[in-house]
Amino acid sequence: TATFKAETYRFLRIERPSDEDRALGVLDAPGTVHIPGWADTEWLKQLVAEQLVTIRNKRGYAHQEWQKKRERNEALDCRVYARAAAWILGADRWDEATWRRLEAQAGVETRMPAAVVTESAPPDPAQPKAGTLTTPCRKRRAYTPNFMRD
């Protein structure tokens, strides 16, 4: 859970685009935490109810642990458990086609925001894009539940 707590706090620090930027088509950065409209002050305090502290033992060795700043932290726990469940299912590695297929099964219609179109030359397929691996990597087997199989 420590990994997902650290991830949650990192995602909470992501700056969101302004209304003017949204009007121009700027999208939220990946990982942005979207706070629901029903969230009140108590829920937000629960979401940030823990802190990562460094503890030194009597020999001087340091280790980090999460400590509660307040008694109630259910919002953070629910976020961490949901994130762990998504990781176990592999939902964080599903492609867009899988999400669209699940939306169709559930009868949910999602509108994708229109991205700003910029005029530029098409990329040269021979040149690798920045940030992509140029060496082949092993395929990772992901468990696919029966309800998602065709």
Side-chain angles (χ1 to χ4, degrees):
T1 61
T3 301
F4 295 126
K5 285 179 185 178
E7 178 188 73
T8 298
Y9 277 71
R10 189 177 74 244
F11 287 166
L12 284 169
R13 285 196 282 301
I14 295 175
E15 190 171 330
R16 299 184 71 176
S18 66
D19 291 336
E20 294 83 23
D21 290 340
R22 286 183 194 278
L24 295 172
V26 176
L27 303 176
D28 289 327
T32 301
V33 176
H34 300 274
I35 306 295
W38 52 259
D40 59 354
T41 305
E42 174 62 24
W43 189 87
L44 293 172
K45 286 180 180 178
Q46 287 183 22
L47 187 63
V48 293
E50 295 186 18
Q51 63 185 355
L52 187 61
V53 295
T54 302
I55 306 291
R56 293 200 177 273
N57 65 11
K58 59 185 173 184
R59 292 180 154 182
Y61 291 105
H63 71 279
Q64 292 185 321
E65 66 180 41
W66 287 92
Q67 289 184 349
K68 287 184 178 182
K69 294 189 290 187
R70 60 191 317 263
E71 187 60 34
R72 307 228 13 206
N73 67 340
E74 289 87 2
L76 178 61
D77 285 345
C78 289
R79 157 83 175 149
V80 168
Y81 297 152
R83 177 65 181 96
W87 178 75
I88 289 168
L89 279 175
D92 53 352
R93 296 180 298 276
W94 291 345
D95 59 357
E96 285 298 316
T98 305
W99 284 110
R100 298 298 161 248
R101 190 169 56 248
L102 286 172
E103 287 171 354
Q105 283 180 0
V108 175
E109 192 173 318
T110 304
R111 288 188 326 222
M112 294 300 293
V116 176
V117 179
T118 58
E119 293 185 28
S120 63
D124 182 13
Q127 294 284 51
K129 285 179 20 181
T132 59
L133 297 175
T134 56
T135 57
C137 61
R138 292 187 311 178
K139 285 284 188 183
R140 183 179 207 177
R141 285 190 176 199
Y143 170 73
T144 305
N146 288 336
F147 70 91
M148 293 178 52
R149 296 182 184 155
D150 291 333

PDB file of all heavy atoms in Angstrom, residues 1 3-4 7 79-94 99 140-143:
ATOM      1  N   THR A   1       0.816  -1.207   0.000  1.00  0.00           N
ATOM      2  CA  THR A   1       0.000   0.000   0.000  1.00  0.00           C
ATOM      3  C   THR A   1       0.853   1.263   0.000  1.00  0.00           C
ATOM      4  O   THR A   1       0.383   2.299  -0.445  1.00  0.00           O
ATOM      5  CB  THR A   1      -0.936   0.021   1.215  1.00  0.00           C
ATOM      6  OG1 THR A   1      -0.162   0.003   2.401  1.00  0.00           O
ATOM      7  CG2 THR A   1      -1.902  -1.127   1.203  1.00  0.00           C
ATOM      8  N   THR A   3       3.348   2.052  -1.831  1.00  0.00           N
ATOM      9  CA  THR A   3       3.579   2.512  -3.199  1.00  0.00           C
ATOM     10  C   THR A   3       2.379   3.285  -3.725  1.00  0.00           C
ATOM     11  O   THR A   3       2.531   4.355  -4.330  1.00  0.00           O
ATOM     12  CB  THR A   3       3.861   1.299  -4.115  1.00  0.00           C
ATOM     13  OG1 THR A   3       4.998   0.610  -3.615  1.00  0.00           O
ATOM     14  CG2 THR A   3       4.103   1.740  -5.536  1.00  0.00           C
ATOM     15  N   PHE A   4       1.187   2.777  -3.493  1.00  0.00           N
ATOM     16  CA  PHE A   4      -0.008   3.436  -4.011  1.00  0.00           C
ATOM     17  C   PHE A   4      -0.342   4.702  -3.229  1.00  0.00           C
ATOM     18  O   PHE A   4      -0.929   5.632  -3.773  1.00  0.00           O
ATOM     19  CB  PHE A   4      -1.186   2.472  -4.040  1.00  0.00           C
ATOM     20  CG  PHE A   4      -0.966   1.332  -5.004  1.00  0.00           C
ATOM     21  CD1 PHE A   4      -1.092   0.030  -4.590  1.00  0.00           C
ATOM     22  CD2 PHE A   4      -0.627   1.569  -6.316  1.00  0.00           C
ATOM     23  CE1 PHE A   4      -0.882  -1.020  -5.467  1.00  0.00           C
ATOM     24  CE2 PHE A   4      -0.403   0.533  -7.202  1.00  0.00           C
ATOM     25  CZ  PHE A   4      -0.538  -0.769  -6.785  1.00  0.00           C
ATOM     26  N   GLU A   7       2.000   7.209  -4.755  1.00  0.00           N
ATOM     27  CA  GLU A   7       1.478   7.568  -6.073  1.00  0.00           C
ATOM     28  C   GLU A   7       0.305   8.543  -5.944  1.00  0.00           C
ATOM     29  O   GLU A   7       0.228   9.532  -6.676  1.00  0.00           O
ATOM     30  CB  GLU A   7       1.024   6.304  -6.814  1.00  0.00           C
ATOM     31  CG  GLU A   7       0.419   6.577  -8.165  1.00  0.00           C
ATOM     32  CD  GLU A   7      -0.179   5.330  -8.769  1.00  0.00           C
ATOM     33  OE1 GLU A   7      -1.249   4.896  -8.287  1.00  0.00           O
ATOM     34  OE2 GLU A   7       0.412   4.810  -9.723  1.00  0.00           O
ATOM     35  N   ARG A  79      -9.150   4.761  -1.793  1.00  0.00           N
ATOM     36  CA  ARG A  79      -8.405   5.093  -3.019  1.00  0.00           C
ATOM     37  C   ARG A  79      -7.274   4.090  -3.233  1.00  0.00           C
ATOM     38  O   ARG A  79      -7.065   3.592  -4.332  1.00  0.00           O
ATOM     39  CB  ARG A  79      -7.886   6.522  -2.905  1.00  0.00           C
ATOM     40  CG  ARG A  79      -6.708   6.861  -3.752  1.00  0.00           C
ATOM     41  CD  ARG A  79      -7.064   7.213  -5.158  1.00  0.00           C
ATOM     42  NE  ARG A  79      -5.847   7.641  -5.853  1.00  0.00           N
ATOM     43  CZ  ARG A  79      -5.646   7.463  -7.134  1.00  0.00           C
ATOM     44  NH1 ARG A  79      -6.576   6.945  -7.867  1.00  0.00           N
ATOM     45  NH2 ARG A  79      -4.544   7.845  -7.690  1.00  0.00           N
ATOM     46  N   VAL A  80      -6.544   3.785  -2.171  1.00  0.00           N
ATOM     47  CA  VAL A  80      -5.402   2.866  -2.278  1.00  0.00           C
ATOM     48  C   VAL A  80      -5.882   1.452  -2.617  1.00  0.00           C
ATOM     49  O   VAL A  80      -5.306   0.788  -3.483  1.00  0.00           O
ATOM     50  CB  VAL A  80      -4.574   2.892  -0.974  1.00  0.00           C
ATOM     51  CG1 VAL A  80      -3.578   1.755  -0.931  1.00  0.00           C
ATOM     52  CG2 VAL A  80      -3.856   4.225  -0.846  1.00  0.00           C
ATOM     53  N   TYR A  81      -6.951   0.985  -1.981  1.00  0.00           N
ATOM     54  CA  TYR A  81      -7.463  -0.353  -2.263  1.00  0.00           C
ATOM     55  C   TYR A  81      -8.003  -0.457  -3.685  1.00  0.00           C
ATOM     56  O   TYR A  81      -7.792  -1.463  -4.365  1.00  0.00           O
ATOM     57  CB  TYR A  81      -8.549  -0.749  -1.257  1.00  0.00           C
ATOM     58  CG  TYR A  81      -8.068  -0.840   0.168  1.00  0.00           C
ATOM     59  CD1 TYR A  81      -8.936  -0.613   1.219  1.00  0.00           C
ATOM     60  CD2 TYR A  81      -6.748  -1.132   0.473  1.00  0.00           C
ATOM     61  CE1 TYR A  81      -8.509  -0.683   2.539  1.00  0.00           C
ATOM     62  CE2 TYR A  81      -6.306  -1.192   1.779  1.00  0.00           C
ATOM     63  CZ  TYR A  81      -7.192  -0.971   2.813  1.00  0.00           C
ATOM     64  OH  TYR A  81      -6.756  -1.042   4.102  1.00  0.00           O
ATOM     65  N   ALA A  82      -8.686   0.573  -4.147  1.00  0.00           N
ATOM     66  CA  ALA A  82      -9.208   0.567  -5.518  1.00  0.00           C
ATOM     67  C   ALA A  82      -8.061   0.570  -6.521  1.00  0.00           C
ATOM     68  O   ALA A  82      -8.109  -0.127  -7.539  1.00  0.00           O
ATOM     69  CB  ALA A  82     -10.121   1.771  -5.741  1.00  0.00           C
ATOM     70  N   ARG A  83      -7.021   1.334  -6.245  1.00  0.00           N
ATOM     71  CA  ARG A  83      -5.864   1.383  -7.141  1.00  0.00           C
ATOM     72  C   ARG A  83      -5.155   0.037  -7.165  1.00  0.00           C
ATOM     73  O   ARG A  83      -4.721  -0.427  -8.222  1.00  0.00           O
ATOM     74  CB  ARG A  83      -4.915   2.494  -6.678  1.00  0.00           C
ATOM     75  CG  ARG A  83      -3.648   2.600  -7.472  1.00  0.00           C
ATOM     76  CD  ARG A  83      -3.917   3.009  -8.915  1.00  0.00           C
ATOM     77  NE  ARG A  83      -2.678   3.066  -9.645  1.00  0.00           N
ATOM     78  CZ  ARG A  83      -2.200   2.074 -10.408  1.00  0.00           C
ATOM     79  NH1 ARG A  83      -2.889   0.961 -10.556  1.00  0.00           N
ATOM     80  NH2 ARG A  83      -1.066   2.198 -11.033  1.00  0.00           N
ATOM     81  N   ALA A  84      -5.039  -0.606  -6.008  1.00  0.00           N
ATOM     82  CA  ALA A  84      -4.405  -1.927  -5.951  1.00  0.00           C
ATOM     83  C   ALA A  84      -5.232  -2.950  -6.725  1.00  0.00           C
ATOM     84  O   ALA A  84      -4.673  -3.788  -7.448  1.00  0.00           O
ATOM     85  CB  ALA A  84      -4.229  -2.360  -4.498  1.00  0.00           C
ATOM     86  N   ALA A  85      -6.552  -2.886  -6.617  1.00  0.00           N
ATOM     87  CA  ALA A  85      -7.417  -3.810  -7.360  1.00  0.00           C
ATOM     88  C   ALA A  85      -7.264  -3.591  -8.862  1.00  0.00           C
ATOM     89  O   ALA A  85      -7.202  -4.556  -9.638  1.00  0.00           O
ATOM     90  CB  ALA A  85      -8.870  -3.632  -6.937  1.00  0.00           C
ATOM     91  N   ALA A  86      -7.191  -2.337  -9.293  1.00  0.00           N
ATOM     92  CA  ALA A  86      -7.002  -2.043 -10.723  1.00  0.00           C
ATOM     93  C   ALA A  86      -5.656  -2.587 -11.199  1.00  0.00           C
ATOM     94  O   ALA A  86      -5.548  -3.116 -12.309  1.00  0.00           O
ATOM     95  CB  ALA A  86      -7.089  -0.539 -10.964  1.00  0.00           C
ATOM     96  N   TRP A  87      -4.638  -2.467 -10.358  1.00  0.00           N
ATOM     97  CA  TRP A  87      -3.322  -2.978 -10.724  1.00  0.00           C
ATOM     98  C   TRP A  87      -3.339  -4.504 -10.831  1.00  0.00           C
ATOM     99  O   TRP A  87      -2.775  -5.084 -11.753  1.00  0.00           O
ATOM    100  CB  TRP A  87      -2.299  -2.522  -9.692  1.00  0.00           C
ATOM    101  CG  TRP A  87      -0.918  -3.021  -9.949  1.00  0.00           C
ATOM    102  CD1 TRP A  87      -0.045  -2.574 -10.902  1.00  0.00           C
ATOM    103  CD2 TRP A  87      -0.242  -4.072  -9.252  1.00  0.00           C
ATOM    104  NE1 TRP A  87       1.118  -3.286 -10.836  1.00  0.00           N
ATOM    105  CE2 TRP A  87       1.027  -4.205  -9.833  1.00  0.00           C
ATOM    106  CE3 TRP A  87      -0.604  -4.897  -8.192  1.00  0.00           C
ATOM    107  CZ2 TRP A  87       1.945  -5.140  -9.382  1.00  0.00           C
ATOM    108  CZ3 TRP A  87       0.323  -5.819  -7.755  1.00  0.00           C
ATOM    109  CH2 TRP A  87       1.580  -5.932  -8.342  1.00  0.00           C
ATOM    110  N   ILE A  88      -4.010  -5.166  -9.887  1.00  0.00           N
ATOM    111  CA  ILE A  88      -4.086  -6.625  -9.915  1.00  0.00           C
ATOM    112  C   ILE A  88      -4.814  -7.105 -11.164  1.00  0.00           C
ATOM    113  O   ILE A  88      -4.403  -8.075 -11.816  1.00  0.00           O
ATOM    114  CB  ILE A  88      -4.770  -7.153  -8.631  1.00  0.00           C
ATOM    115  CG1 ILE A  88      -3.838  -6.952  -7.436  1.00  0.00           C
ATOM    116  CG2 ILE A  88      -5.156  -8.618  -8.769  1.00  0.00           C
ATOM    117  CD1 ILE A  88      -4.494  -7.163  -6.085  1.00  0.00           C
ATOM    118  N   LEU A  89      -5.911  -6.419 -11.534  1.00  0.00           N
ATOM    119  CA  LEU A  89      -6.653  -6.783 -12.749  1.00  0.00           C
ATOM    120  C   LEU A  89      -5.899  -6.443 -14.018  1.00  0.00           C
ATOM    121  O   LEU A  89      -6.202  -6.977 -15.079  1.00  0.00           O
ATOM    122  CB  LEU A  89      -7.998  -6.060 -12.782  1.00  0.00           C
ATOM    123  CG  LEU A  89      -9.111  -6.666 -11.974  1.00  0.00           C
ATOM    124  CD1 LEU A  89     -10.333  -5.763 -12.014  1.00  0.00           C
ATOM    125  CD2 LEU A  89      -9.474  -8.040 -12.501  1.00  0.00           C
ATOM    126  N   GLY A  90      -4.960  -5.506 -13.930  1.00  0.00           N
ATOM    127  CA  GLY A  90      -4.242  -5.057 -15.121  1.00  0.00           C
ATOM    128  C   GLY A  90      -4.949  -3.912 -15.825  1.00  0.00           C
ATOM    129  O   GLY A  90      -4.617  -3.587 -16.957  1.00  0.00           O
ATOM    130  N   ALA A  91      -5.921  -3.278 -15.163  1.00  0.00           N
ATOM    131  CA  ALA A  91      -6.695  -2.205 -15.804  1.00  0.00           C
ATOM    132  C   ALA A  91      -5.833  -1.012 -16.175  1.00  0.00           C
ATOM    133  O   ALA A  91      -6.167  -0.277 -17.096  1.00  0.00           O
ATOM    134  CB  ALA A  91      -7.832  -1.761 -14.882  1.00  0.00           C
ATOM    135  N   ASP A  92      -4.721  -0.812 -15.486  1.00  0.00           N
ATOM    136  CA  ASP A  92      -3.850   0.306 -15.824  1.00  0.00           C
ATOM    137  C   ASP A  92      -3.026   0.041 -17.078  1.00  0.00           C
ATOM    138  O   ASP A  92      -2.334   0.927 -17.565  1.00  0.00           O
ATOM    139  CB  ASP A  92      -2.935   0.663 -14.647  1.00  0.00           C
ATOM    140  CG  ASP A  92      -2.157  -0.528 -14.116  1.00  0.00           C
ATOM    141  OD1 ASP A  92      -2.422  -1.666 -14.537  1.00  0.00           O
ATOM    142  OD2 ASP A  92      -1.282  -0.314 -13.254  1.00  0.00           O
ATOM    143  N   ARG A  93      -3.130  -1.166 -17.626  1.00  0.00           N
ATOM    144  CA  ARG A  93      -2.414  -1.503 -18.860  1.00  0.00           C
ATOM    145  C   ARG A  93      -3.357  -1.786 -20.020  1.00  0.00           C
ATOM    146  O   ARG A  93      -2.908  -2.193 -21.085  1.00  0.00           O
ATOM    147  CB  ARG A  93      -1.513  -2.719 -18.610  1.00  0.00           C
ATOM    148  CG  ARG A  93      -0.422  -2.457 -17.599  1.00  0.00           C
ATOM    149  CD  ARG A  93       0.458  -3.674 -17.375  1.00  0.00           C
ATOM    150  NE  ARG A  93      -0.247  -4.820 -16.844  1.00  0.00           N
ATOM    151  CZ  ARG A  93      -0.519  -5.038 -15.560  1.00  0.00           C
ATOM    152  NH1 ARG A  93      -0.144  -4.161 -14.669  1.00  0.00           N
ATOM    153  NH2 ARG A  93      -1.149  -6.107 -15.165  1.00  0.00           N
ATOM    154  N   TRP A  94      -4.673  -1.602 -19.835  1.00  0.00           N
ATOM    155  CA  TRP A  94      -5.623  -1.848 -20.920  1.00  0.00           C
ATOM    156  C   TRP A  94      -5.499  -0.760 -21.973  1.00  0.00           C
ATOM    157  O   TRP A  94      -5.284   0.404 -21.664  1.00  0.00           O
ATOM    158  CB  TRP A  94      -7.051  -1.868 -20.392  1.00  0.00           C
ATOM    159  CG  TRP A  94      -7.361  -3.044 -19.534  1.00  0.00           C
ATOM    160  CD1 TRP A  94      -6.648  -4.195 -19.408  1.00  0.00           C
ATOM    161  CD2 TRP A  94      -8.482  -3.183 -18.655  1.00  0.00           C
ATOM    162  NE1 TRP A  94      -7.251  -5.041 -18.505  1.00  0.00           N
ATOM    163  CE2 TRP A  94      -8.374  -4.446 -18.039  1.00  0.00           C
ATOM    164  CE3 TRP A  94      -9.553  -2.371 -18.335  1.00  0.00           C
ATOM    165  CZ2 TRP A  94      -9.311  -4.899 -17.125  1.00  0.00           C
ATOM    166  CZ3 TRP A  94     -10.483  -2.829 -17.428  1.00  0.00           C
ATOM    167  CH2 TRP A  94     -10.362  -4.081 -16.839  1.00  0.00           C
ATOM    168  N   TRP A  99     -11.157  -0.581 -23.265  1.00  0.00           N
ATOM    169  CA  TRP A  99     -12.058   0.310 -22.540  1.00  0.00           C
ATOM    170  C   TRP A  99     -13.345   0.548 -23.327  1.00  0.00           C
ATOM    171  O   TRP A  99     -14.437   0.566 -22.763  1.00  0.00           O
ATOM    172  CB  TRP A  99     -11.370   1.644 -22.239  1.00  0.00           C
ATOM    173  CG  TRP A  99     -10.387   1.534 -21.124  1.00  0.00           C
ATOM    174  CD1 TRP A  99      -9.029   1.599 -21.215  1.00  0.00           C
ATOM    175  CD2 TRP A  99     -10.668   1.336 -19.736  1.00  0.00           C
ATOM    176  NE1 TRP A  99      -8.450   1.447 -19.982  1.00  0.00           N
ATOM    177  CE2 TRP A  99      -9.438   1.291 -19.050  1.00  0.00           C
ATOM    178  CE3 TRP A  99     -11.841   1.188 -18.999  1.00  0.00           C
ATOM    179  CZ2 TRP A  99      -9.348   1.112 -17.678  1.00  0.00           C
ATOM    180  CZ3 TRP A  99     -11.751   1.021 -17.633  1.00  0.00           C
ATOM    181  CH2 TRP A  99     -10.519   0.984 -16.985  1.00  0.00           C
ATOM    182  N   ARG A 140       4.308  -9.061 -21.980  1.00  0.00           N
ATOM    183  CA  ARG A 140       3.834  -9.353 -20.639  1.00  0.00           C
ATOM    184  C   ARG A 140       2.470  -9.997 -20.738  1.00  0.00           C
ATOM    185  O   ARG A 140       1.591  -9.480 -21.407  1.00  0.00           O
ATOM    186  CB  ARG A 140       3.745  -8.058 -19.858  1.00  0.00           C
ATOM    187  CG  ARG A 140       3.337  -8.247 -18.462  1.00  0.00           C
ATOM    188  CD  ARG A 140       3.311  -6.915 -17.782  1.00  0.00           C
ATOM    189  NE  ARG A 140       3.555  -7.129 -16.369  1.00  0.00           N
ATOM    190  CZ  ARG A 140       3.648  -6.189 -15.497  1.00  0.00           C
ATOM    191  NH1 ARG A 140       3.552  -4.951 -15.884  1.00  0.00           N
ATOM    192  NH2 ARG A 140       3.845  -6.454 -14.235  1.00  0.00           N
ATOM    193  N   ARG A 141       2.317 -11.116 -20.088  1.00  0.00           N
ATOM    194  CA  ARG A 141       1.023 -11.779 -20.086  1.00  0.00           C
ATOM    195  C   ARG A 141       0.130 -11.118 -19.066  1.00  0.00           C
ATOM    196  O   ARG A 141       0.507 -10.956 -17.918  1.00  0.00           O
ATOM    197  CB  ARG A 141       1.159 -13.253 -19.750  1.00  0.00           C
ATOM    198  CG  ARG A 141       1.711 -14.046 -20.879  1.00  0.00           C
ATOM    199  CD  ARG A 141       1.573 -15.490 -20.558  1.00  0.00           C
ATOM    200  NE  ARG A 141       2.032 -16.242 -21.702  1.00  0.00           N
ATOM    201  CZ  ARG A 141       1.730 -17.477 -21.911  1.00  0.00           C
ATOM    202  NH1 ARG A 141       0.991 -18.130 -21.056  1.00  0.00           N
ATOM    203  NH2 ARG A 141       2.179 -18.100 -22.968  1.00  0.00           N
ATOM    204  N   ALA A 142      -1.024 -10.741 -19.503  1.00  0.00           N
ATOM    205  CA  ALA A 142      -1.990 -10.128 -18.601  1.00  0.00           C
ATOM    206  C   ALA A 142      -3.193 -11.043 -18.497  1.00  0.00           C
ATOM    207  O   ALA A 142      -3.649 -11.605 -19.492  1.00  0.00           O
ATOM    208  CB  ALA A 142      -2.410  -8.762 -19.113  1.00  0.00           C
ATOM    209  N   TYR A 143      -3.679 -11.204 -17.294  1.00  0.00           N
ATOM    210  CA  TYR A 143      -4.864 -12.009 -17.070  1.00  0.00           C
ATOM    211  C   TYR A 143      -6.075 -11.271 -17.615  1.00  0.00           C
ATOM    212  O   TYR A 143      -6.267 -10.085 -17.353  1.00  0.00           O
ATOM    213  CB  TYR A 143      -5.046 -12.276 -15.577  1.00  0.00           C
ATOM    214  CG  TYR A 143      -6.371 -12.892 -15.239  1.00  0.00           C
ATOM    215  CD1 TYR A 143      -6.636 -14.211 -15.548  1.00  0.00           C
ATOM    216  CD2 TYR A 143      -7.375 -12.149 -14.652  1.00  0.00           C
ATOM    217  CE1 TYR A 143      -7.857 -14.774 -15.262  1.00  0.00           C
ATOM    218  CE2 TYR A 143      -8.593 -12.701 -14.353  1.00  0.00           C
ATOM    219  CZ  TYR A 143      -8.836 -14.018 -14.663  1.00  0.00           C
ATOM    220  OH  TYR A 143     -10.051 -14.568 -14.379  1.00  0.00           O
TER     221      TYR A 143
END
